Amino acid sequence: MAEETIFSKIIRKEIPAEILYQDELVTAFRDINPRAPSHILIIPNQLIPTVNDVKPEHEQALGRLFTVAKKIAQQEGIAEDGYRLLVNCNAHGGQEVYHIHMHLVGGRPLGPLLIG
Ligand code: 5GP
């Protein structure tokens, strides 16, 4: 069993976060250290530590990360100008929290910005 991270506590609302969306599969909340005007994390409710741990049974939840990203980008008013979706994996990818998360960043031209 993988060890829970702070993100599981955010999903269960045991610690505060600005949650923008939650359903039975995924949760989206603002990053505590935003690197752009819009910086949101979208995560599966089930703990999957890294992309290396992804299994076929996770496809529904991981697919939903994209439909929720699209919805939130529209809500944030950044859909037309554009934005970036990013998933870091392990040390070389710059992953700090071992609960898969999709970064949604936008609200300004991002240039070669990397999050990690
Ligand atoms: P990673 O480097 O693992 O891809 O990204 C982890 C992200 O989680 C970072 O952008 C970091 O700012 C964010 N983060 C870490 N701890 C918290 C927290 O307690 N609350 C929120 N909202 N974001 C967090």
Side-chain angles (χ1 to χ4, degrees), residues 7 18-20 28-42 72-73 76 78 83-88 96 101-108 110 113-116:
F7 287 179
E18 190 183 341
I19 293 179
L20 302 179
F29 52 95
R30 290 197 193 278
D31 197 291
I32 204 168
N33 176 26
R35 265 75 113 216
S38 291
H39 187 172
I40 292 128
L41 302 173
I42 313 168
I72 291 176
E76 293 282 299
I78 61 173
Y83 50 92
R84 184 169 296 157
L85 301 176
L86 213 142
V87 180
N88 294 323
E96 286 175 4
H101 47 282
M102 175 186 275
H103 294 261
L104 163 57
V105 279
R108 65 169 170 82
L110 295 171
L113 171 81
L114 289 173
I115 293 174

Coordinates of all heavy atoms in Angstrom, one line a residue, residues 7 18-20 28-42 72-73 76 78 83-88 96 101-108 110 113-116:
F7 N -2.3 15.3 -0.1 CA -3.4 15.5 -1.0 C -4.6 14.6 -0.6 O -5.8 15.0 -0.8 CB -3.0 15.1 -2.4 CG -2.1 16.1 -3.1 CD1 -1.6 15.9 -4.4 CD2 -1.7 17.3 -2.4 CE1 -0.8 16.9 -5.0 CE2 -0.9 18.3 -3.0 CZ -0.4 18.1 -4.3
E18 N -8.4 25.5 -1.5 CA -9.5 26.1 -2.3 C -9.9 25.1 -3.4 O -9.4 25.0 -4.5 CB -9.1 27.4 -2.9 CG -10.3 28.1 -3.5 CD -9.9 29.4 -4.2 OE1 -8.8 30.0 -3.9 OE2 -10.7 29.9 -5.0
I19 N -10.9 24.3 -3.0 CA -11.4 23.2 -3.9 C -12.3 23.8 -5.0 O -13.3 24.5 -4.6 CB -12.1 22.1 -3.1 CG1 -11.0 21.4 -2.3 CG2 -12.7 21.1 -4.1 CD1 -11.5 20.2 -1.4
L20 N -12.0 23.6 -6.2 CA -12.8 24.2 -7.3 C -13.8 23.2 -7.9 O -14.8 23.5 -8.5 CB -11.9 24.7 -8.5 CG -10.9 25.7 -8.1 CD1 -10.0 26.1 -9.3 CD2 -11.5 26.9 -7.5
A28 N -10.2 18.9 -7.7 CA -9.3 20.0 -8.3 C -9.3 21.1 -7.2 O -10.3 21.5 -6.7 CB -9.9 20.5 -9.6
F29 N -8.0 21.6 -7.0 CA -7.9 22.7 -6.0 C -6.7 23.6 -6.5 O -5.8 23.1 -7.2 CB -7.6 22.1 -4.6 CG -6.5 21.1 -4.5 CD1 -5.2 21.5 -4.2 CD2 -6.8 19.8 -4.8 CE1 -4.2 20.5 -4.1 CE2 -5.8 18.8 -4.8 CZ -4.5 19.2 -4.4
R30 N -6.7 24.8 -5.9 CA -5.6 25.7 -6.3 C -4.3 25.3 -5.6 O -4.3 25.0 -4.5 CB -6.0 27.2 -5.9 CG -7.1 27.7 -6.7 CD -7.2 29.2 -6.6 NE -8.4 29.7 -7.2 CZ -8.7 29.8 -8.5 NH1 -7.7 29.6 -9.4 NH2 -9.8 30.2 -9.0
D31 N -3.2 25.4 -6.4 CA -1.9 25.2 -5.9 C -1.5 26.2 -4.8 O -1.8 27.4 -5.0 CB -0.8 25.2 -7.0 CG 0.5 24.5 -6.7 OD1 1.2 25.1 -5.8 OD2 0.8 23.5 -7.2
I32 N -0.9 25.8 -3.8 CA -0.6 26.6 -2.6 C 0.5 27.6 -3.0 O 0.7 28.7 -2.4 CB -0.2 25.8 -1.4 CG1 -0.4 26.6 -0.1 CG2 1.2 25.3 -1.5 CD1 -0.3 25.7 1.1
N33 N 1.3 27.3 -4.1 CA 2.4 28.1 -4.5 C 2.3 28.4 -6.0 O 3.0 27.8 -6.8 CB 3.7 27.4 -4.1 CG 4.9 28.2 -4.7 OD1 4.9 29.4 -4.8 ND2 6.0 27.4 -4.9
P34 N 1.3 29.2 -6.4 CA 1.0 29.3 -7.8 C 2.1 29.9 -8.6 O 2.7 30.9 -8.2 CB -0.3 30.3 -7.8 CG -0.3 31.0 -6.5 CD 0.4 30.1 -5.5
R35 N 2.4 29.3 -9.8 CA 3.5 29.8 -10.7 C 2.9 30.6 -11.8 O 3.7 31.0 -12.7 CB 4.3 28.6 -11.2 CG 5.6 28.4 -10.4 CD 5.3 27.7 -9.0 NE 5.8 26.4 -9.0 CZ 5.2 25.4 -8.3 NH1 4.1 25.6 -7.7 NH2 5.7 24.2 -8.3
A36 N 1.6 30.8 -11.8 CA 1.0 31.6 -12.9 C -0.4 32.1 -12.3 O -0.8 31.5 -11.2 CB 0.8 30.7 -14.1
P37 N -1.0 33.0 -12.9 CA -2.3 33.5 -12.4 C -3.3 32.4 -12.1 O -4.1 32.5 -11.1 CB -2.8 34.5 -13.4 CG -1.6 35.0 -14.1 CD -0.6 33.8 -14.1
S38 N -3.4 31.4 -13.0 CA -4.2 30.2 -12.7 C -3.2 29.0 -12.5 O -2.5 28.7 -13.5 CB -5.2 29.9 -13.8 OG -6.2 30.9 -13.9
H39 N -3.2 28.4 -11.4 CA -2.4 27.2 -11.2 C -3.2 26.3 -10.3 O -3.4 26.5 -9.1 CB -1.1 27.6 -10.5 CG -0.2 26.4 -10.4 ND1 1.1 26.5 -10.0 CD2 -0.3 25.1 -10.7 CE1 1.7 25.3 -10.0 NE2 0.8 24.4 -10.4
I40 N -3.8 25.3 -10.9 CA -4.7 24.4 -10.3 C -4.2 22.9 -10.4 O -3.5 22.6 -11.4 CB -6.1 24.5 -11.0 CG1 -6.7 25.9 -10.6 CG2 -7.1 23.4 -10.5 CD1 -7.1 26.7 -11.8
L41 N -4.4 22.2 -9.4 CA -4.0 20.7 -9.4 C -5.2 19.9 -9.5 O -6.2 20.2 -8.8 CB -3.2 20.4 -8.1 CG -2.0 21.2 -7.8 CD1 -1.4 20.9 -6.4 CD2 -0.9 21.0 -8.9
I42 N -5.2 18.9 -10.4 CA -6.3 18.0 -10.6 C -5.8 16.6 -10.3 O -4.8 16.2 -10.9 CB -6.9 18.2 -12.0 CG1 -7.1 19.7 -12.4 CG2 -8.3 17.4 -12.1 CD1 -7.4 19.9 -13.8
I72 N -12.4 23.6 -16.0 CA -11.9 24.6 -15.1 C -11.2 25.7 -16.0 O -11.3 26.9 -15.6 CB -10.9 24.0 -14.1 CG1 -11.7 23.2 -13.1 CG2 -10.1 25.1 -13.4 CD1 -10.9 22.4 -12.1
A73 N -10.5 25.3 -17.0 CA -9.9 26.3 -17.9 C -11.0 27.3 -18.4 O -10.7 28.5 -18.5 CB -9.2 25.7 -19.1
E76 N -12.0 29.6 -15.6 CA -10.9 30.6 -15.2 C -10.8 31.6 -16.3 O -10.0 32.6 -16.1 CB -9.6 29.8 -15.1 CG -9.5 28.9 -13.9 CD -9.3 29.6 -12.5 OE1 -8.3 30.3 -12.4 OE2 -10.2 29.5 -11.7
I78 N -9.4 31.1 -19.3 CA -8.1 31.0 -20.0 C -8.1 30.0 -21.1 O -7.1 29.8 -21.8 CB -7.0 30.6 -19.0 CG1 -7.3 29.2 -18.4 CG2 -6.8 31.6 -17.9 CD1 -6.2 28.6 -17.5
Y83 N -3.3 27.3 -22.2 CA -2.8 26.9 -20.9 C -1.9 25.7 -21.1 O -1.8 25.2 -22.2 CB -4.0 26.7 -19.9 CG -5.0 25.7 -20.5 CD1 -5.0 24.4 -20.2 CD2 -6.1 26.2 -21.3 CE1 -5.9 23.5 -20.7 CE2 -7.0 25.4 -21.8 CZ -7.0 24.0 -21.5 OH -7.9 23.2 -22.0
R84 N -1.4 25.2 -20.0 CA -0.5 24.0 -20.0 C -1.0 23.0 -19.0 O -1.3 23.4 -17.9 CB 0.9 24.5 -19.8 CG 1.9 23.3 -19.9 CD 3.4 23.8 -19.9 NE 3.6 24.7 -21.1 CZ 4.5 25.6 -21.1 NH1 5.4 25.8 -20.1 NH2 4.7 26.4 -22.2
L85 N -1.0 21.8 -19.4 CA -1.2 20.6 -18.5 C 0.1 19.9 -18.4 O 0.7 19.6 -19.3 CB -2.3 19.7 -19.1 CG -3.7 20.4 -19.3 CD1 -4.7 19.4 -20.0 CD2 -4.3 20.9 -18.0
L86 N 0.4 19.5 -17.1 CA 1.7 19.0 -16.8 C 1.6 17.9 -15.7 O 1.0 18.1 -14.7 CB 2.6 20.1 -16.3 CG 4.0 20.2 -16.7 CD1 4.4 21.6 -17.0 CD2 4.8 19.7 -15.5
V87 N 2.3 16.8 -15.9 CA 2.4 15.8 -14.9 C 3.8 15.4 -14.7 O 4.5 14.9 -15.6 CB 1.6 14.5 -15.3 CG1 1.6 13.4 -14.2 CG2 0.1 14.8 -15.6
N88 N 4.3 15.6 -13.5 CA 5.7 15.2 -13.2 C 5.8 13.8 -12.6 O 4.9 13.4 -11.9 CB 6.3 16.2 -12.2 CG 6.4 17.6 -12.7 OD1 6.7 17.8 -13.9 ND2 6.2 18.6 -11.9
E96 N 7.2 16.2 -6.4 CA 7.4 16.4 -4.9 C 6.3 15.7 -4.1 O 6.6 15.2 -3.0 CB 7.3 17.9 -4.6 CG 8.6 18.6 -5.0 CD 8.5 20.1 -4.8 OE1 7.5 20.6 -4.2 OE2 9.4 20.8 -5.2
H101 N -0.8 14.0 -9.9 CA -1.6 15.3 -10.1 C -1.2 15.9 -11.4 O -0.1 15.9 -11.9 CB -1.3 16.3 -8.9 CG 0.2 16.4 -8.6 ND1 0.9 15.5 -7.9 CD2 1.0 17.4 -9.0 CE1 2.1 15.9 -7.8 NE2 2.3 17.1 -8.4
M102 N -2.3 16.5 -12.0 CA -2.1 17.2 -13.2 C -2.1 18.7 -12.9 O -3.0 19.2 -12.2 CB -3.3 16.9 -14.2 CG -3.3 17.7 -15.4 SD -4.8 17.4 -16.4 CE -4.4 16.0 -17.3
H103 N -1.0 19.4 -13.3 CA -1.0 20.9 -13.1 C -1.7 21.5 -14.3 O -1.5 21.2 -15.4 CB 0.5 21.4 -13.1 CG 1.3 20.9 -12.0 ND1 1.6 21.7 -10.9 CD2 2.0 19.8 -11.8 CE1 2.5 21.0 -10.1 NE2 2.7 19.9 -10.6
L104 N -2.6 22.4 -14.0 CA -3.3 23.2 -15.0 C -2.7 24.7 -14.7 O -3.0 25.2 -13.7 CB -4.8 23.2 -14.8 CG -5.6 24.3 -15.5 CD1 -5.4 24.4 -17.0 CD2 -7.1 24.0 -15.3
V105 N -1.9 25.2 -15.7 CA -1.3 26.5 -15.5 C -1.7 27.4 -16.7 O -1.6 27.0 -17.8 CB 0.2 26.5 -15.2 CG1 0.5 26.1 -13.8 CG2 0.9 25.5 -16.2
G106 N -2.0 28.6 -16.4 CA -2.3 29.6 -17.5 C -2.6 31.0 -16.9 O -2.3 31.2 -15.7
G107 N -3.0 31.8 -17.8 CA -3.3 33.2 -17.3 C -2.3 34.2 -17.8 O -2.4 35.4 -17.5
R108 N -1.2 33.7 -18.4 CA -0.1 34.5 -18.9 C 0.6 33.7 -19.9 O 0.5 32.4 -19.9 CB 0.8 35.1 -17.9 CG 1.6 34.0 -17.1 CD 2.7 34.7 -16.3 NE 3.4 33.7 -15.4 CZ 4.4 32.9 -15.7 NH1 4.8 32.9 -17.0 NH2 4.9 32.1 -14.9
L110 N 3.3 31.4 -21.1 CA 4.1 30.6 -20.1 C 5.6 30.4 -20.6 O 6.4 30.0 -19.7 CB 3.5 29.2 -20.0 CG 2.1 29.2 -19.3 CD1 1.4 27.9 -19.4 CD2 2.1 29.7 -17.9
L113 N 8.3 27.7 -19.2 CA 8.1 27.4 -17.8 C 8.0 25.8 -17.6 O 7.3 25.1 -18.3 CB 6.8 28.0 -17.4 CG 6.3 27.6 -16.0 CD1 7.0 28.3 -14.9 CD2 4.8 27.8 -15.9
L114 N 8.8 25.4 -16.6 CA 8.7 24.0 -16.2 C 8.3 24.0 -14.7 O 8.9 24.8 -14.0 CB 10.0 23.2 -16.4 CG 10.3 22.9 -17.9 CD1 11.7 22.3 -17.9 CD2 9.3 22.0 -18.5
I115 N 7.5 23.1 -14.3 CA 7.1 23.0 -12.9 C 7.8 21.8 -12.3 O 7.6 20.7 -12.8 CB 5.6 23.0 -12.7 CG1 5.0 24.3 -13.1 CG2 5.3 22.7 -11.2 CD1 3.5 24.3 -13.1
G116 N 8.7 22.0 -11.4 CA 9.3 20.9 -10.8 C 10.3 21.3 -9.8 O 10.5 22.5 -9.5

